[in-house]
Amino acid sequence: MISDNILNYFKDLDPVSVALGVGIGAILDYIVSLIISPKGSGQINPGIDKDSAKVATMCPLKDIEDTVKKSDKGVVAYCRCWRSKKFPYCDGAHAAHNKKTGDNTGPLVIKK
């Protein structure tokens, strides 16, 4: 059973104030969603090869092996966040993306 204190609280609320509060909350939620996802489209790829119907990067195994061998650390990292300026290679852009969005994406790392 609902206590009398709660019923009295809701009885004294002004409906216009409640509607105004809900409306302001909805507007703020909309503005925040635009800031987090400016396009609002849900697209992952922000600008890499957008003229193509589909972006598929082909890397022959020999090229990957050669790249790993040439690396001073013996690893090569491929971008999975679509924000790298060196795409398809990772440049660490996922760190800023993760901080901004709360995501946890990272590169595909291939090592010897």
Side-chain angles (χ1 to χ4, degrees), residues 16-68:
V16 174
S17 297
V18 172
L20 189 59
V22 169
I24 290 171
I27 290 169
L28 288 174
D29 181 56
Y30 177 72
I31 290 170
V32 168
S33 72
L34 289 177
I35 291 168
I36 291 173
S37 178
K39 289 187 176 184
S41 66
Q43 290 185 357
I44 295 168
N45 178 358
I48 297 169
D49 201 11
K50 295 301 272 185
D51 294 333
S52 297
K54 176 171 55 172
V55 180
T57 305
M58 301 294 288
C59 294
L61 185 56
K62 178 72 172 127
D63 292 351
I64 294 171
E65 289 173 341
D66 290 345
T67 304
V68 172

